[in-house]
Amino acid sequence: MDLGTQKVKAVVLKDNMVVGRGQAYSGFDPTSAAKAAVNASLKQANAQLTDVACFVATGSSMELAPYAKSTVSMMGADAKAATYRFPKARTIIDVGAEEARAVKCDERGVMTDFVVNERCAAGAGTFIEAMARALEVKLEEMGPLSLKAERASQINASCVIFGESDVVSLIHRQEPKAEIARAIFDAMADRISSMVHRLGVNPEVILVGGVAKDPGFVSSLNRKLSVKVLVPEYPDFNGALGAALTAVNRCKGGQK
Amino acid sequence: MTIEKPERKYTPEISAKEIQELRKTIRSSSEKVIADNIARMKKADPKRPYSMLYFDEIADLFGKRQQEIEAEKAKGKKVIGYTCLFAPTELILAADAIPVRVNSGWFDAAKLGDRVVPVEVCPVLRSTIGAKMIELSPFLEQSDALISILTCDGMTKFGDIMSDYKPVWRMSVPRIKDESHSMRFWYDEIKLIKNQIEKFTGNKITKGKLKEAILETQRATRAFRRLQELRKGSPVITGRDAMLVNQTYLWDDKKRWTEKVEALCKELENRAQRHDWVCPPDTPRVMLTGTPMFWPDSWKLPNLVEEANPKGIIVADELCSGERILNDPVGVDEWTIDDMLNAIGQRHLMASTCPCFTSEDGNQDRLNWLLNKIKENNVQGVIYYVIRGCILYAMEYTRIKKALDKINIPVYYLDTEYTREDVGQMKTRVEAFLEMLSVQVDI
Amino acid sequence: MQRRTEITSQTIADKEFWRWSEYHRVITGKKWRSTDILTAGVDVGSVGSKAAVMINGEAYAWAITRTGSNSPDSATKVLDWALKDTGLKVGDLKFIVGTGYGRVNVPMANKAITEIACHGKGANYIWGPTVRTVLDVGGQDIKAIRIDQTGKVCSFLMNDKCAAGTGRGMEVFADLLKIPIEQIGEISLKVEEEPPPVSCTCVAFAKTEAMGLLRKGWSKEKVLAAYTRAMAIRMANLINRVGLERELVITGGQSKNIGIVRRIEKVLEIKCLPMPRWQDTGLDPMIAGALGAALFAKSLYEKAQKG
């Protein structure tokens, strides 16, 4: 289970293969949300709660997870899952709703170094949501819209609120929405690539987290990093997958 | 003379491809900023003096001057870079070498510096480090050695970091300048650096050469002061133009610069006689003080001030990137080597108003300088400019404010970063400040 | 006697907790003649747009709307609305001053003046010559302004680099806790004991902070109180830095947040001048900027006439 600030994601593994996925909004009660996510994933796997040998939790609210007897850090989970999907993965960038982090790992998927963007929500998913609201564009349309732009407008990326009002004034000046959308992604990508550089960019670079689903962000990040990032399927489930993989190791010798 | 390449202690290895790409992007954007700044300065003064065209040319950091220095280097001349005005440029000139100040004025380069030092560190330093990483700055690249002056904490470690790339010679500045042993200590530092320069360039600094260098600097100082005199009355030159002229001294050929400034002053004196003001004489007269503003990106604030609604005019500054560069002459009594070295030491140390100093009366030198300027240049308001991360200037603010409050001169504390993001916010604050100073919206 | 027109309905307030009432008002007792000096001030803020119309420097009509993104002509819209039911057209106005964040976007303005100067002037108009310190909390700005007895600005300070405590911040909060923004002040005072202020005021992290507190068993009112207290402390600090001199008034949207006002008064140990009863007879502090602008318009017009 990955108990994130916005959503809880759950992944079920059977014989090291993914057989079920589930998610639910965290809201004010992440524990219940986790239960719902786990149930959804088990339904997909045609399994029962009692079939599960081991639960491991990760995420910013991991201490609230039901069922799990142990936890793993988000960084560790990221590293494990990324190398599972891309054996050559050495740098993982995880951009979630309120936090972004970069993780370095070795060929075994063991984390060797990491860096987290602290105290700055302008480098995470919340930023895009707030900007999309200000632009009056649906969140899922932001990416495709931004890809239409040749250049990016100038916006304040240090604060969600100031960024919002920049967007409003750009619209007043009749700047094309596509260029504003691109500016938003560029600003975020800039912040995140700065953070990644502090770690050092070792190929291959994997991008995960909810924001990885957005083609606009991926395009901006590729440009700022001067490297093409690889995005796995269901990138927002990477953390949950990593926790599940950790569970495999931890519960060896347990019941089937 | 071969120089050993030191092992990289701080800076990461970057692929040649990435260096080239980043340099290309930032350089082309910088060229646009330079062109844009100059266009705006031209627009602000439709009768801009003809002499300014020369300085516009020198303002192109990637142009004529870079080529000239390259040609000089090909003839065997050495280039010695420095970051603070404490560096005894007279010694560099006397050794037939070329002095250049290498602080970076590129906002975009600061982000690259983030890979080496955290974002809390002085943006000017971060930007200079970033510029070095991608070989962006012509003058920094052309420097064969750097003089690193240990004024503030940032500058101290900066020298360390630069030694990853070039030979760095360090000079300690005594933080209490008015103690007798301070000047003795500083004199020793001057002697040491003189030996260093001689060894490096292979040229002995003779009495004759040193005298010539000092005389040249004195001539430059006279021209410089002549220009600043012309800012005391009704405006015959925009603040930005004057600031640009002042700052080009830091990398230009000194002799030629002096000649061109004299020519400019002649034009301006004619203008003054004709009462041909660059803007209405009742335009609010503003002074800037605080952390240095390096060309081209740091024209952000001066552009705002002089293009605001209501407009202001920058009639003076207390900046080590501006009026502090050449304000004080080297005062020599006897032309012996000792005396000359002493005079150089005095001029660079005792005259400095940098906030890195402290003493029983605090940094009284700076306060006096400000109060004097306010009176002589009829300053109506002061913008206290601090780049976020600069502790020294930030901490002196309340003292300056108290003193200026006593004489009813409004001060506005404006802090910013090496970024273009906050131009909108800054505009509101600057305009509100100018409104306060202006008499036009009086009821 | 005044007429009021509100365009919000209770159903909208249920869904969009951050939405405050937009309205326009005309003081019907007043009449204008074409020989009067008719001026207007248009204050285009980042969140709200306000317009005020004056007859010879006396308030006559005004309007407040939300500066949307789908109305690049919010200046035109709000001014038209202020003029509604006055019988006046934009062309009848002798001089118009634009102010606020969007002051360069006021196409009909003869001049633009910053909102700092306008709020100073406006506060002086609303409360009189005893005002010396003005706290204006706008959509994305907090300003502390020192003025003299004529409303002229002596010095000012603004919030830097952080939108905590601004109108937008409070809107985000109201929405988060599902409390209608117009009640946010009252509700924050419904606590038995004042909780400690929150340590992290960053609007972007508001959700996580709030959730953490709610999970600890705090009531919505308590969470709101803790936030409001932290915001009020920020604002009080700004006032102290610019130097507090009586009398103190609060303008801008947050002036209606009684939770903020009471807490600022507590920290500074001073009572603000009471808000005029704007719902009935008084002037809305939210239009202080627009009023100041309209007053500047009058004197600029008079100055121009003198030649």
Side-chain angles (χ1 to χ4, degrees), chain A residues 27 98 121 136 161 164-165 171, chain C residues 69 101 140 163 168 204 208 211:
Chain A
E98 275 186 19
E136 294 183 352
I161 304 286
E164 259 183 19
S165 60
I171 292 177
Chain C
S69 73
Y101 176 78
Q140 64 149 14
R168 265 308 284 141
T208 324
M211 280 197 3

Side-chain angles (χ1 to χ4, degrees), chain B residues 86-359:
Chain B
F86 291 97
T89 46
E90 295 83 356
L91 293 177
I92 301 173
L93 289 168
D96 266 326
I98 303 174
V100 278
R101 191 167 178 189
V102 295
N103 308 78
S104 164
W106 291 289
F107 288 172
D108 297 324
K111 276 196 215 106
L112 297 167
D114 289 350
R115 298 190 196 182
V116 181
V117 291
V119 297
E120 290 80 41
V121 170
C122 166
V124 180
L125 296 176
R126 270 188 292 130
S127 174
T128 313
I129 293 170
K132 180 71 208 82
M133 278 161 61
I134 55 169
E135 299 162 15
L136 173 68
S137 163
F139 309 130
L140 183 51
E141 291 312 297
Q142 290 170 325
S143 296
D144 298 299
L146 290 177
I147 298 181
S148 164
I149 320 268
L150 313 185
T151 43
C152 63
D153 293 346
M155 281 296 189
T156 304
K157 302 313 285 181
F158 174 76
D160 271 4
I161 296 173
M162 284 294 109
S163 67
D164 268 3
Y165 298 102
K166 293 187 193 286
V168 173
W169 309 327
R170 295 163 182 78
M171 290 180 82
S172 267
V173 175
R175 295 290 191 103
I176 306 175
K177 64 169 146 158
D178 41 14
E179 301 265 313
S180 54
H181 58 267
S182 298
M183 198 46 228
R184 280 204 300 274
F185 173 79
W186 183 240
Y187 179 68
D188 281 343
E189 291 286 272
I190 297 269
K191 282 221 293 267
L192 279 172
I193 208 83
K194 169 176 176 284
N195 292 340
Q196 192 72 279
I197 294 174
E198 284 175 325
K199 209 165 80 175
F200 188 70
T201 58
N203 299 332
K204 180 127 176 59
I205 295 176
T206 63
K207 194 164 83 173
K209 286 213 191 130
L210 190 51
K211 180 170 180 182
E212 186 44 53
I214 291 178
L215 287 174
E216 197 182 299
T217 314
Q218 283 179 343
R219 280 193 290 270
T221 305
R222 272 199 293 276
F224 184 90
R225 285 186 151 190
R226 192 176 164 194
L227 175 60
Q228 312 319 316
E229 266 303 309
L230 286 156
R231 298 171 75 190
K232 290 186 178 169
S234 292
V236 289
I237 184 171
T238 62
R240 287 174 289 172
D241 278 340
M243 282 169 70
L244 182 63
V245 172
N246 291 344
Q247 203 170 118
T248 47
Y249 180 78
L250 296 173
W251 58 84
D252 197 6
D253 174 280
K254 314 297 178 227
K255 212 179 253 158
R256 190 177 59 197
W257 183 92
T258 307
E259 284 168 20
K260 295 294 181 179
V261 172
E262 298 281 7
L264 172 66
C265 289
K266 197 136 173 256
E267 273 192 81
L268 293 175
E269 277 150 13
N270 284 341
R271 207 175 181 180
Q273 270 180 357
R274 294 194 311 266
H275 287 229
D276 190 6
W277 314 128
V278 85
C279 63
D282 63 354
T283 307
R285 298 170 69 90
V286 175
M287 177 160 82
L288 304 174
T289 180
T291 50
M293 289 180 199
F294 294 108
W295 174 263
D297 290 351
S298 299
W299 249 233
K300 177 174 81 171
L301 174 65
N303 278 340
L304 272 180
V305 173
E306 296 195 332
E307 291 172 359
N309 169 30
K311 226 166 39 173
I313 180 145
I314 300 167
V315 296
D317 66 66
E318 190 273 326
L319 299 169
C320 70
S321 59
E323 288 203 49
R324 297 296 314 146
I325 296 174
L326 272 179
N327 186 75
D328 305 279
V330 179
V332 186
D333 289 325
E334 291 180 33
W335 298 94
T336 61
I337 291 252
D338 264 354
D339 204 55
M340 285 192 273
L341 290 178
N342 219 345
I344 290 173
Q346 287 265 348
R347 178 252 180 264
H348 284 278
L349 180 71
M350 302 310 283
S352 172
T353 54
C354 182
C356 68
F357 294 116
T358 181
S359 69

Side-chain angles (χ1 to χ4, degrees), chain B residues 309-310 388 401 410 412-413 415 417 419 421-422 424-425 427-433 435-443, chain C residues 101 103-104 111-118 121 140-141 150 152-161 295-296 299-300 303:
Chain B
N309 169 30
R388 219 161 284 138
K401 178 151 193 339
Y412 191 72
Y413 186 92
D415 80 329
E417 246 269 7
T419 175
E421 281 179 359
D422 58 359
Q425 287 188 320
K427 188 160 180 282
T428 306
R429 290 149 173 79
V430 168
E431 288 188 344
F433 184 67
E435 276 173 3
M436 263 172 65
L437 303 182
S438 125
V439 293
Q440 285 136 336
V441 279
D442 227 2
I443 296 184
Chain C
Y101 176 78
R103 64 185 173 280
V104 294
K111 189 167 169 61
I113 297 179
T114 68
E115 56 273 36
I116 287 107
C118 289
K121 202 45 120 174
Q140 64 149 14
D141 265 346
T150 67
K152 184 167 192 299
V153 177
C154 302
S155 72
F156 69 95
L157 269 184
M158 291 177 74
N159 66 317
D160 274 307
K161 281 298 160 201
L295 283 168
F296 281 126
S299 45
L300 286 167
K303 205 159 156 212

